[in-house]
């Protein structure tokens, strides 16, 4: 057969489902060469069940059918799913002792997985078949465009949670830790993966995998609605009873049933190895179960970290008192619920003031009235051990407990972490917190004041204190009421602070990225068409980045910018602000010189073309010019340079497959063409080289020359007189 008849058969074979798995397998193996061979089989099976969208699969098939090269710099890297990134991170962390369990002897049958689009409310299916604490947020009403009627279906957030939850249940498990967790962002209306009867085979597959562990140390299930009845008792706790190496047990926000909760308390009472217990966001509706839990915690010989945050305790203040007494010898305690009455909060304050071994304490959700404010304030003065204090969602109007007195200041000087989120911080509280941070006794390393109704006036009074503070490393002011008027204070603080490592300003919606967008309007006047252009004006977020972290007005301004603080605002490179790239550069575990080099490459190639002016390089030593020319030709994310900064992998702009519109560059958030960018870069490089007066000396240096010798003017010497043969001045032959 000739080549013309073989080509359709080859393409048809590639587009089959079996060949698709092989192609994706080769692609993933090229990206993760350090992963062990036994890991590859599971990755291939996971790819076949990944439920990736049809559009993404067709793109990969078309690109791979054109050329069968996997060089790692292709445009296909932009279409890599988040599952691939998770597997890569897992593979990187699996090279140590905590490796994955081998597939040898695994006779389990992997259940089928439904994709995101395959989850929908079937005909005749009841709403209550999807169980979750989120209730009506799982199923919504939609308008049909074609018929004009209404229909009911699952929300897209619920579909995504169900799809990713299935994948996590059937994924490979580590030898020493089992972690089943789904994190929901602040913008999501869900807080838990719903349960559906179709998920039961996946849960059974997950439970069967626990039986293969012999040295399990950590078991975590977070934000998953577990199957009803006694599934936890029959499938999980019965297996954990035979494992004598377990150190940490977390079942947070899992909607544990009453029967399973009673069995869990019995397991804790019989266990002797646990050191960490987390059952937060659990409703303990039985008073007998709550008392049994207090008794189990009191008699347990090893538990030192207890998390009962947002747990409703049946029995009221009497049960709260018993649990507090049981946790007297613990190192860390988190407790609180919105159902806590005034008497329960008073018992908590009295417990803090007594002698105990707590180094970390958290009171969440419980409302604190004026009387209990005084009790808590006095209790903090008496306490001598707490170093980490968290008061969340207590309806406090700060300063409240934190008053500007010598006793309070002395008691707070022991704290290294303070969390006051979800309260209220007026101007007076901001001034008092500023005076505390300026004091020499302050030892705070982490300060969290998220969602505290902090205004611009409060921020302007609070932020200048950080110029004198030398201990704070993490500051969270997210989801407050900050506006663009606080930008000068933020810039001034960042320029004069070198110890702050993390600064979170996300969720401040009045902080704008763009104040005015560039607008061009066409006008017809006097028979001619003209354009009226409104220039682009940066908003507060862009001004913070360009003013404090990435000032590209000159080479010196880049070097004198802040290179230590990782600033969180939007998480994107909007409108040439390069916010996310600068955050990643400052977060690198590298020297300051390397960070400056990354910023210089970014500025020379994407931001400020005026930096190509040859007169800007007159003061640079001659030996450093080759490094400068090298940076003019580099780019963030290309050829492995700055791989930790660029989002995923930058597209290969040299591919002939790029359309006339160019290829989307996630770093600059623009479409770029290979020809125009390369020609522009080369022309500027040529301009710099030809305009430099010391260029001949650069190329005249020989190998091994470290300094260019200075040329001196030759003095005219007299011609040497030629001596005649036989003169007395000649040496005689021996």
């Amino acid at each position: 057969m000739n080549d013309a008849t073989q080509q359709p058969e080859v393409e048809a074979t590639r587009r089959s489902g079996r060949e698709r798995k092989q192609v994706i397998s080769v692609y993933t193996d090229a990206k993760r060469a350090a992963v062990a061979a036994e890991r590859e089989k599971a990755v291939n099976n996971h790819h076949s069940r990944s439920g990736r969208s049809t559009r993404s699969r067709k793109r990969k098939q078309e690109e791979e059918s054109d050329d069968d090269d996997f060089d790692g710099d292709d445009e296909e890297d932009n279409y890599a799913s988040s599952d691939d990134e998770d597997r890569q991170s897992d593979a990187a962390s699996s090279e140590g002792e905590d490796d994955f369990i081998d597939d040898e002897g695994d006779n389990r049958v992997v259940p089928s997985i439904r994709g995101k689009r395959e989850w929908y409310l079937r005909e005749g299916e009841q709403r209550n078949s999807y169980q979750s604490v989120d209730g009506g947020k799982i199923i919504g009403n939609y308008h049909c465009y074609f018929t004009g009627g209404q229909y009911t279906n699952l929300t897209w957030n619920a579909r995504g949670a169900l799809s990713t939850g299935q994948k996590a249940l059937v994924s490979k498990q580590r030898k020493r830790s089992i972690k089943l967790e789904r994190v929901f962002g602040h913008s999501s209306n869900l807080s838990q993966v719903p349960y559906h009867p179709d998920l039961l085979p996946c849960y059974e597959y997950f439970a069967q995998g626990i039986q293969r562990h012999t040295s399990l140390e950590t078991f975590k299930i977070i934000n998953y609605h577990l199957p009803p009845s006694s599934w936890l008792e029959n499938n999980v706790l019965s297996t954990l009873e035979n494992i004598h190496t377990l150190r940490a047990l977390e079942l947070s926000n899992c909607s544990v049933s009453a029967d399973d909760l009673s069995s869990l308390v019995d397991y804790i009472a019989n266990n002797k190895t646990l050191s960490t217990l987390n059952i937060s966001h659990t409703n303990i509706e039985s008073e007998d179960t709550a008392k049994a839990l207090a008794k189990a915690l009191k008699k347990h010989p090893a538990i030192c970290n207890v998390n009962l945050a947002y747990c409703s305790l049946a029995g009221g203040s009497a049960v709260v008192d018993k649990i507090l007494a049981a946790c007297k010898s613990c190192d860390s305690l988190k407790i609180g619920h919105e159902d806590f009455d005034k008497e329960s909060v008073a018992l908590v304050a009295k417990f803090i003031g007594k002698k105990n071994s707590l180094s970390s304490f958290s009171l969440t959700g419980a409302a604190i009235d004026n009387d209990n404010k005084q009790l808590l304030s006095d209790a903090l003065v008496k306490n001598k051990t707490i170093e980490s204090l968290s008061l969340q969602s207590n309806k406090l109007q700060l300063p409240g407990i934190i008053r500007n007195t010598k006793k309070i200041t002395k008691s707070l000087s022991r704290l290294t972490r303070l969390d006051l989120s979800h309260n209220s911080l007026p101007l007076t509280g901001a001034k008092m917190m500023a005076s505390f941070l300026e004091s020499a006794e302050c030892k705070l390393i982490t300060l969290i004041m998220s969602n505290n109704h902090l205004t611009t006036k409060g921020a302007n009074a609070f932020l200048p204190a950080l110029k004198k503070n030398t201990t704070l490393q993490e500051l969270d002011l997210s989801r407050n009421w900050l506006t663009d008027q606080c930008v000068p204070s933020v810039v001034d603080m960042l320029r004069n602070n070198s110890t702050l490592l993390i600064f979170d300003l996300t969720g401040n919606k009045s902080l704008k990225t763009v104040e005015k967008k560039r607008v061009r309007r066409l006008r017809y006047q006097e028979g001619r068409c003209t354009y009226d252009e409104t220039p682009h004006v940066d908003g507060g977020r862009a001004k913070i980045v360009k003013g404090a972290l990435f000032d590209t007005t000159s080479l010196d301004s880049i070097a004198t910018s802040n290179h230590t603080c990782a600033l969180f605002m939007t998480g994107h490179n909007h409108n040439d602000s390069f916010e996310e790239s600068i955050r990643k550069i400052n977060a690198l575990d590298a020297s300051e010189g390397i960070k400056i080099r990354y910023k210089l490459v970014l500025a020379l190639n994407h931001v400020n073309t005026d930096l190509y002016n040859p007169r800007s390089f007159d003061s640079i030593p001659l030996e450093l010019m080759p490094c400068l020319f090298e940076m003019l030709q580099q780019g963030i994310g290309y050829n492995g340079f700055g791989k930790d900064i660029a989002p995923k992998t930058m597209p290969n702009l040299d591919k002939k497959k790029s359309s006339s519109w160019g290829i989307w560059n996630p770093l600059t958030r623009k479409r770029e063409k290979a020809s125009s960018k390369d020609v522009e870069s080369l022309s500027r490089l040529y301009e710099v080289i030809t305009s430099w007066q010391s260029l001949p000396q650069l190329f005249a240096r020989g190998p091994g020359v470290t300094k260019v010798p200075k040329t001196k003017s030759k003095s005219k010497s007299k011609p040497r007189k030629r001596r005649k043969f036989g003169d007395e001045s000649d040496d005689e032959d021996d």
Side-chain angles (χ1 to χ4, degrees), residues 617-729:
F617 309 134
D618 292 340
S619 60
I620 297 180
L622 185 65
E623 286 74 18
L624 297 180
M625 290 306 296
C627 298
L628 178 62
F629 293 153
E630 180 185 358
M631 284 188 285
L632 293 177
Q633 292 180 309
Q634 287 177 337
I636 301 295
Y638 295 93
N639 298 324
F641 182 78
K643 60 181 180 180
D644 297 329
I645 304 168
K648 297 182 181 179
T649 304
M650 303 298 290
N652 189 355
L653 300 179
D654 297 332
K655 285 289 181 181
K656 61 182 180 179
K657 295 176 292 185
S658 60
S659 62
S660 59
W661 294 94
I663 298 178
W664 177 258
N665 190 333
L667 183 64
T668 59
R669 298 184 64 84
K670 296 178 181 178
R671 288 194 175 273
E672 297 181 0
K673 296 182 180 180
S675 58
S676 62
K677 186 177 185 299
D678 293 344
V679 171
E680 185 180 8
S681 178
L682 289 175
S683 62
R684 289 174 182 169
L685 180 61
Y686 178 76
E687 180 184 353
V688 171
I689 294 177
T690 56
S691 303
W692 188 36
Q693 297 179 357
S694 303
L695 180 66
Q697 298 180 8
L698 177 65
F699 291 97
R701 294 187 301 170
V705 178
T706 58
K707 294 184 179 180
V708 178
K710 296 182 179 179
T711 58
K712 299 181 179 180
S713 59
K714 296 182 180 180
S715 60
K716 295 183 179 180
S717 60
K718 295 181 180 180
R720 186 178 179 182
K721 184 178 179 181
R722 187 174 182 182
R723 291 171 295 184
K724 295 182 180 180
F725 181 76
D727 288 347
E728 295 179 357
S729 60

Side-chain angles (χ1 to χ4, degrees), residues 362-394:
S362 174
L363 179 62
T364 57
I368 301 176
D369 56 8
N370 294 329
D371 296 335
N372 287 327
K373 285 180 184 179
Q374 183 65 34
L375 291 176
L376 279 174
S377 181
D378 296 339
L380 290 175
V381 174
K382 296 178 181 179
N383 188 276
K384 306 297 182 183
T385 59
I386 293 179
E387 297 179 356
S388 177
L389 178 63
S390 177
L391 300 174
Q392 299 181 18
S393 303
N394 302 124

Side-chain angles (χ1 to χ4, degrees), residues 475-686:
L475 177 61
D476 187 355
L477 298 180
S478 60
R479 292 178 293 282
N480 281 297
W481 295 350
L482 305 184
T483 63
D484 290 349
Q485 297 178 0
C486 69
V487 170
S489 299
V490 176
V491 173
D492 185 34
M493 183 272 294
L494 290 175
R495 280 194 166 276
N496 294 277
N497 185 296
S498 59
T499 58
L500 192 63
L501 303 180
I502 299 176
F503 189 19
D504 193 350
L505 288 175
T506 58
N508 291 278
K509 298 182 179 180
S510 297
L511 267 178
K512 303 177 182 177
T513 305
V514 180
E515 185 175 348
K516 291 183 180 180
K517 294 184 179 181
R518 178 190 175 191
V519 179
R520 297 186 67 184
R521 294 184 176 89
L522 179 63
R523 287 191 177 184
Y524 184 79
Q525 187 177 5
E526 296 180 359
R528 300 180 62 183
C529 293
T530 58
Y531 285 98
D532 290 341
E533 183 173 339
T534 302
H536 168 84
V537 179
D538 288 332
R541 292 171 179 169
K543 290 179 181 178
I544 291 174
V545 176
K546 296 179 181 180
L549 308 178
F550 191 43
D551 188 359
T552 59
T553 54
S554 65
L555 298 177
D556 292 334
S557 63
I558 295 176
T560 57
S561 299
N562 186 299
H563 307 297
T564 58
C565 182
L567 180 64
F568 292 83
M569 288 190 291
T570 62
H572 302 286
N573 294 330
H574 282 302
N575 296 285
D576 296 335
S577 66
F578 295 96
E579 172 199 327
E580 183 67 6
S581 300
I582 297 301
R583 182 193 66 79
K584 292 181 178 180
I585 292 175
N586 284 3
L588 290 176
D589 186 12
S591 63
E592 185 174 325
I594 295 177
K595 297 178 182 179
I596 294 176
R597 183 180 183 185
Y598 282 135
K599 291 184 179 181
L600 187 59
V601 170
L602 192 62
L604 290 173
N605 292 282
H606 294 293
V607 182
N608 191 357
T609 58
D610 295 336
L611 293 176
Y612 281 94
N613 188 356
R615 289 186 295 273
S616 302
F617 309 134
D618 292 340
S619 60
I620 297 180
L622 185 65
E623 286 74 18
L624 297 180
M625 290 306 296
C627 298
L628 178 62
F629 293 153
E630 180 185 358
M631 284 188 285
L632 293 177
Q633 292 180 309
Q634 287 177 337
I636 301 295
Y638 295 93
N639 298 324
F641 182 78
K643 60 181 180 180
D644 297 329
I645 304 168
K648 297 182 181 179
T649 304
M650 303 298 290
N652 189 355
L653 300 179
D654 297 332
K655 285 289 181 181
K656 61 182 180 179
K657 295 176 292 185
S658 60
S659 62
S660 59
W661 294 94
I663 298 178
W664 177 258
N665 190 333
L667 183 64
T668 59
R669 298 184 64 84
K670 296 178 181 178
R671 288 194 175 273
E672 297 181 0
K673 296 182 180 180
S675 58
S676 62
K677 186 177 185 299
D678 293 344
V679 171
E680 185 180 8
S681 178
L682 289 175
S683 62
R684 289 174 182 169
L685 180 61
Y686 178 76

